[in-house]
Amino acid sequence: MMKNIYFILCFFIAGFTFSQSPSLINYQGIARDAAGVPITTPVKIRFEIYSSLSGGTAVYSEVQTTSTNSLGIFSTQIGKTTGTINVNWGSGNNWFLDVAIDPTNVGTNFISTGRQQLVSVPYALYARESSNGLPPGDKNGQTLRWDTTLATGPAWVKDNNLTNDGSHVGIGLLPAGLKSRLHVITNAIADTSVIFAYHPNIASKGAAVRGIASGNVASSTSTADPFAGAIFGGSHSSSNTGNGMAIGNFGSGASNGLGIGVAGIAYGGAATSTAVGLYATSLGVPGSKTIAAIFDKGSVYFNDSIFITGTNSVNANPGDVLTLSPYGRAKWQAPGGSSSPFTTSANFVHLTAGNLNNRVVIGAGTPNLFGYGNKFTVLNPTGNNDTAVSVIQNSNKLAMFVTANSSSASAIYAKTNASGSSTAPAIFGEATGSSTNNAGVYGLSNNFSTGVKGYSGSFNGVWGESNGGTGVLGQSSSGFAARFLLTANFSSNPGVYIATNSNPPALKAESFGTGPAIEAVQSNAAAGSSNISLLIKNGHISTTGTNTNAACFTTTSFGATGFVANKATGSNDVRGEILATFTPSAVIPSGGFVTITVNFEKPYSGGLPNVHIECMEQVTASLGRFISGGSSSGFTVRFFNNTPGGMGLSGLNFKYFVIE
């Protein structure tokens, strides 16, 4: 029978301490049926807390089993089964309690009495949290931060970003061991500044950041930090390839104003003091480059004098003036003097009489470091895409004329140190004119010397490339027009390599005299040397085009199927191997035969050349064979069984050689 349940509710919070008592709410009620008869058997009670009067999801729920007395009275505590009521009482929401009872004590037949708003007494739990529930710290100097982003609602959380030990304040670190009243640090790449100060309405003599250092400071003997400063900037970078800056400033002057990036104003407080407006020094390990100051763009103005103190490493004398040297540096010299090693006379620029034995280096401030023994050197720094030397001749004369008067000297010696897949030549010549006599590089020999000589330890001695004219032209009146010598005994590279990416032939030899266009002679008679004067590995001396299908074709006289022949890897029109198979194995009857047609990739001119066949296995050698047909496009070989019985075969293989 369905029962109506009536509840007489009484709420109160017993006295407790935070560290000893659980967060519970006392609850007492009476359970009666519809006739008013007390329920004296155990029942299940379900407590649910909502943030709204209707609908929504319960933020807390628990089910208890409780006993009643003879009057149906039961007493319990909300939160008894969970140990605490996990509700954020201080979130600002109204909270509603829904109580349901299952008189069958099964746990599936709950009858709800509806929701009632909780008032006053439960909020004493929040008061306990407010007074005693602040999170404890675990590090000296931690502070509290009110966090409104927590899933459980706003609350105080301990924070290590802003710290305070009573004497020092840290941002981004704990203050342990700090010697600064305020120390700020960040390791986040997204942070563009450690400290940013902005004053949008600054008045005269105002500052976004102002530092004042006052007091008596004992003289320091340290060369790394000899001064006390109102604002001190230090930059350290050990594994960074970029530029580190201790203090960076940007000054912008509007209208007729003066924008100053860094301003230093010094005041001497005593007659014996020295006031320095701007001080720059540079320290480094031995061998490192130390520069005290760099003035990148714009002029440098001195309204007073320049004073040199310490060791006179520039060899300046009293009365010297600062002038620009030919190397782009400022140099002290006597008034009216000249430090240039060059002079002019008769429209020529040449070394002065006192500098005839000097060497001229362009592109290096300290040429002695490079060990160059040349009279004239042009050094293009790494990363500079400029041409080291450019000579332009607009008249009908030589752009450059170089003469070597010694029998052991070269007029021009060019060397490239490029490595890897680089194709940068030591000398690159390009002819862009329309004349047929233009040449990128032209060498002429009128005696027994060499017009152009190229040497390479592992790559190309001479490289010629043409987009329409002549890549390499050699002309001689008595010696070799062009001579190529390969000195490595075991090199896999040829003495001459000629390649083409277009229709013209890679090599064309033409004779206008009575001699041959090409003469190949094998002059090495030593044992083990090749007797071949001219070897063509793949291709023909003369071809007539290209076959559209260079595959192999097979036939049999006895109707066998699955007979396939293919060229082995590396086979070509000059030599190769044919691998033929029967799938499944077949039997060639007495008098039966098979044929294999081998097509050339490029047809030979003049019909079928001579073809030589060699068997690769004993079974194939037992068969009769002959060239049964062919043309300039290929040949057909027939294998036949001339024995009185059948011969079983799973395949047959043979080699072929074409003699042109």
Side-chain angles (χ1 to χ4, degrees), residues 186-236:
T186 179
N187 292 318
I189 298 177
D191 293 342
T192 58
S193 302
V194 178
I195 297 177
F196 178 78
Y198 174 61
H199 194 325
N201 298 309
I202 195 166
S204 177
K205 296 183 180 180
V209 177
R210 183 183 299 275
I212 298 176
S214 177
N216 296 322
V217 181
S219 299
S220 172
T221 59
S222 171
T223 57
D225 189 10
F227 304 109
I231 297 178
F232 179 82
S235 174
H236 172 71

Side-chain angles (χ1 to χ4, degrees), residues 2 44 46 100-112:
M2 182 64 68
K44 288 190 182 296
R46 184 182 68 196
I101 188 170
D102 182 358
T104 64
N105 199 30
V106 176
T108 58
N109 301 315
F110 286 103
I111 301 173
S112 174

Side-chain angles (χ1 to χ4, degrees), residues 252-450:
S252 176
S255 185
N256 294 325
L258 178 64
I260 300 176
V262 177
I265 300 175
Y267 173 74
T272 58
S273 65
T274 300
V276 179
L278 185 64
Y279 176 84
T281 186
S282 178
L283 304 173
V285 299
S288 63
K289 181 183 292 186
T290 55
I291 301 175
I294 295 178
F295 300 94
D296 188 12
K297 295 180 175 64
S299 304
V300 179
Y301 289 87
F302 299 96
N303 289 331
D304 204 332
S305 58
I306 300 176
F307 181 73
I308 299 177
T309 185
T311 304
N312 185 8
S313 59
V314 296
N315 297 321
N317 297 311
D320 285 355
V321 295
L322 197 63
T323 60
L324 182 66
S325 72
Y327 310 111
R329 293 188 172 187
K331 180 179 177 62
W332 293 101
Q333 69 174 34
S338 174
S339 61
S340 174
F342 297 98
T343 186
T344 59
S345 60
N347 297 328
F348 290 95
V349 177
H350 56 85
L351 291 170
T352 60
N355 294 285
L356 295 181
N357 293 324
N358 290 349
R359 295 166 183 166
V360 178
V361 178
I362 298 177
T366 54
N368 59 302
L369 296 179
F370 300 94
Y372 293 143
N374 305 320
K375 197 67 175 176
F376 179 77
T377 300
V378 178
L379 176 66
N380 200 5
T382 302
N384 192 315
N385 294 325
D386 295 337
T387 302
V389 176
S390 178
V391 181
I392 301 175
Q393 172 62 278
N394 293 322
S395 62
N396 191 21
K397 293 293 184 180
L398 298 175
M400 179 181 289
F401 179 77
V402 182
T403 302
N405 295 323
S406 174
S407 59
S408 60
S410 299
I412 295 179
Y413 174 78
K415 178 181 179 182
T416 179
N417 293 321
S419 60
S421 58
S422 173
T423 56
I427 294 180
F428 177 79
E430 181 179 5
T432 58
S434 58
S435 172
T436 58
N437 294 324
N438 285 348
V441 176
Y442 178 80
L444 175 63
S445 173
N446 292 320
N447 208 324
F448 296 102
S449 58
T450 302

